[in-house]
Amino acid sequence: MTRIGGTWQNWARSAEVRPIRVERPRSPEGVQRAVVAGTAHGLTIKAVGAGHSFTGIAIAPGVLLELDDMQGLVSADAATGRVTLLAGTRLHRIPGLLAPHGLAMENLGDIDRQSIAGAISTGTHGTGSRFGGLAAQVVGVTLVTADGALLRIDEEHEPELLPAVSLGLGALGIIVEVTLQCVPAFVLQAVDQPAPLDDVLATLSERVSSADHFEFYWFPHTDVALTKSQTRMPESTRRQPLPVLGRWVDETLLSNGVYRVVCGTGRIAPAITPPFNRLAVTLTGDRRYTDASHRVLTQSRTVRFREMEYALPAANVVPAFRAVRALIEQRGWRIEFPLEVRFAAEDDRWLSTAYGRATGYIAVHRYWRADPTVYFEAVEQIMIDHGGRPHWGKLHTLDADALRERYPRFDDFVALRDRLDPDRRFANRHLERVLGE
Ligand SMILES: Cc1cc2nc3c(=O)[nH]c(=O)nc-3n(C[C@H](O)[C@H](O)[C@H](O)COP(=O)(O)OP(=O)(O)OC[C@H]3O[C@@H](n4cnc5c(N)ncnc54)[C@H](O)[C@@H]3O)c2cc1C
């Protein structure tokens, strides 16, 4: 997220706005004052996190609340593993805050730049068929509602609302504190291995169920999948981190540096994309390493891209993936970013992409300067045909009517929104599209 001359832009440069006012509250009481003042002036009010959503979900045309001064630990209980964080806390700060208590977050997505409130609000997830997304780790939320009041939801206070407010799209109020159920700190033993794509597809469910965390990347125009399998180990396990060079190849050169070159050039000379994709597979190679969970689960991404990701019933991943592969071949597109395939356990968060079903995710990307529309819309149709639900923070074209059919608790969520925000203080155009007016 950046602000240049009063204009706010998201990370992917796919959404921007000039808010009427920007405020940086330093406390929950400061958020309450901002909400009351915004309401008195008839303005809408929205908190932004790190601006890492690809859609306009964080657009704040009225009052934009930056919560960067609301970071840190409110309380931690090593015995129960319950930890309360201020809502603006960036994910990359959390491991350092939890370390003195011997705790870690149960699972993470593939980067750690987001704020905890932003990450849970859009259903950010990682991979692992026995683990839910970040919102599934939430056991308590404190919100400022449209009337400026503090509302605490946890197992003692309106517990039936927890599955709604822990993944609320920013539509129910401004989150000021988040309580997470953490786990004892652990390390991950990781194996990164290229394998023939057809073998990976043929054995996918065994691969997914035999690892704690499994995912694979497929670079279009190759026959190889880069698989990543991770096993959870006690914190005392001897660490053998990825050598600095290995991490550099992965993060600087491969994920970011060479991409920067190829994505810039690829637009002019798309013919170099297939050979580059083959090179990328070769460079990543076969690797084993053991390190703290957050160091294995997350990487850095500095090359900007646009992304669409759909959640499918896990059993539909292979047919949907094969359909996308055939589509790319038929259309002759040159796609410079890999497809990413991940998994999650079913959960009970009303608007979770994994609500009520074991889930697999297929994500497609394009360099930010390339127009993703034709590719994404064609892939989206395949995902819809396979029972897909779009990630709330990533690009898609569905509206409230289409989403209602995909979420059994959609109308309950809308009813709660009507109760907590009857005048739509926390609305924006994107929320009008996906939730209705
Ligand atoms: C490079 C990159 C990698 C990514 N990797 C993954 C991944 O591995 N897995 C995955 O699932 N997603 C991933 N994402 C998507 C990202 O995790 C989500 O879009 C997430 O919402 C971004 O968090 P944020 O802090 O930037 O929130 P923002 O994008 O700033 O905001 C998201 C929403 O949360 C709301 N919000 C923020 N703070 C508050 C608050 N205090 N109270 C109420 N509402 C609030 C905003 O109003 C908005 O509606 C990735 C995105 C990028 C750019």
Side-chain angles (χ1 to χ4, degrees):
M1 175 190 73
T2 39
R3 275 201 290 129
I4 305 162
T7 300
W8 174 92
Q9 290 184 312
N10 67 346
W11 178 88
R13 304 292 183 261
S14 47
E16 64 172 36
V17 68
R18 255 182 113 76
I20 292 173
R21 212 157 72 208
V22 176
E23 297 207 16
R24 278 181 81 107
R26 305 177 67 85
S27 63
E29 296 72 35
V31 173
Q32 288 180 284
R33 283 194 293 275
V35 169
V36 170
T39 302
H41 288 93
L43 298 173
T44 56
I45 304 132
K46 288 211 72 67
V48 298
H52 271 51
S53 296
F54 295 88
T55 62
I57 195 164
I59 289 264
V63 181
L64 184 159
L65 293 183
E66 272 182 4
L67 300 191
D68 289 349
D69 293 336
M70 283 179 59
Q71 300 200 53
L73 207 55
V74 177
S75 63
D77 182 341
T80 61
R82 300 262 165 121
V83 167
T84 299
L85 296 158
L86 286 169
T89 308
R90 298 298 172 101
L91 299 185
H92 61 90
R93 295 185 62 177
I94 297 178
L97 296 169
L98 299 187
H101 306 278
L103 297 170
M105 284 180 68
E106 184 185 59
N107 201 3
L108 286 165
D110 57 19
I111 60 155
D112 59 9
R113 298 297 103 182
Q114 306 95 318
S115 66
I116 186 65
I120 63 169
S121 294
T122 59
T124 297
H125 64 91
T127 194
S129 62
R130 291 187 286 278
F131 302 95
L134 273 61
Q137 300 170 33
V138 175
V139 290
V141 169
T142 307
L143 291 160
V144 174
T145 51
D147 54 5
L150 280 178
L151 175 65
R152 175 70 186 173
I153 309 276
D154 58 23
E155 59 196 11
E156 279 150 25
H157 307 91
E158 302 197 63
E160 68 286 359
L161 298 185
L162 189 66
V165 298
S166 51
L167 203 169
L169 311 186
L172 303 177
I174 308 296
I175 300 173
V176 290
E177 289 181 3
V178 177
T179 306
L180 298 174
Q181 178 64 56
C182 294
V183 298
F186 61 103
V187 303
L188 283 170
Q189 224 167 41
V191 180
D192 297 354
Q193 219 163 28
L197 177 64
D198 288 332
D199 286 3
V200 172
L201 294 178
T203 55
L204 193 59
S205 54
E206 297 91 90
R207 287 173 187 265
V208 170
S209 58
S210 63
D212 289 320
H213 305 272
F214 175 83
E215 68 182 303
F216 77 89
Y217 291 87
W218 171 63
F219 286 86
H221 324 296
T222 74
D223 296 324
V224 180
L226 293 177
T227 66
K228 284 175 162 277
S229 309
Q230 291 144 11
T231 308
R232 296 162 83 97
M233 308 289 287
E235 204 201 4
S236 56
T237 309
R238 201 168 134 251
R239 299 178 193 197
Q240 288 185 294
L242 200 56
V244 176
L245 180 64
R247 214 170 164 97
W248 183 81
V249 166
D250 205 25
E251 294 192 341
T252 310
L253 187 68
L254 185 61
S255 306
N256 298 303
V258 176
Y259 266 144
R260 201 188 298 279
V261 177
V262 85
C263 294
T265 343
R267 290 176 61 236
I268 307 157
I272 74 165
T273 299
F276 168 73
N277 285 2
R278 288 191 284 274
L279 171 71
V281 169
T282 316
L283 276 178
T284 309
D286 215 281
R287 303 185 304 201
R288 282 161 199 272
Y289 47 99
T290 306
D291 208 345
S293 53
H294 65 278
R295 288 184 49 84
V296 173
L297 293 170
T298 65
Q299 289 117 38
S300 69
R301 295 272 184 268
T302 58
V303 174
R304 274 179 228 288
F305 54 81
R306 306 263 165 86
E307 180 172 348
M308 181 177 75
E309 181 173 51
Y310 263 81
L312 304 164
N316 292 357
V317 167
V318 171
F321 183 92
R322 288 190 198 283
V324 176
R325 188 186 187 194
L327 172 81
I328 294 172
E329 272 164 26
Q330 280 157 15
R331 300 287 181 94
W333 294 323
R334 302 290 189 228
I335 305 298
E336 64 286 349
F337 272 86
L339 275 75
E340 187 178 8
V341 178
R342 296 185 277 183
F343 297 87
E346 76 169 76
D347 67 52
D348 68 348
R349 313 286 120 155
W350 296 358
L351 294 187
S352 168
T353 49
Y355 178 85
R357 65 191 200 191
T359 292
Y361 294 90
I362 298 182
V364 291
H365 312 72
R366 294 253 31 207
Y367 184 52
W368 71 293
R369 289 187 189 279
D371 182 357
T373 315
V374 177
Y375 176 41
F376 283 10
E377 284 186 3
V379 172
E380 183 169 50
Q381 193 52 55
I382 293 172
M383 298 301 147
I384 290 170
D385 294 345
H386 287 83
R389 295 171 177 160
H391 188 298
W392 293 103
K394 302 187 183 177
L395 298 171
H396 69 91
T397 66
L398 301 195
D399 62 13
D401 288 339
L403 289 159
R404 174 175 283 109
E405 290 170 15
R406 287 164 173 76
Y407 286 94
R409 303 297 301 265
F410 191 91
D411 284 326
D412 294 327
F413 187 89
V414 171
L416 181 62
R417 184 186 187 209
D418 290 341
R419 182 186 127 194
L420 296 180
D421 185 20
D423 300 324
R424 301 294 188 251
R425 281 294 129 215
F426 306 119
N428 61 17
R429 276 221 206 120
H430 184 84
L431 289 181
E432 277 170 22
R433 190 188 102 204
V434 298
L435 291 176
E437 292 189 3

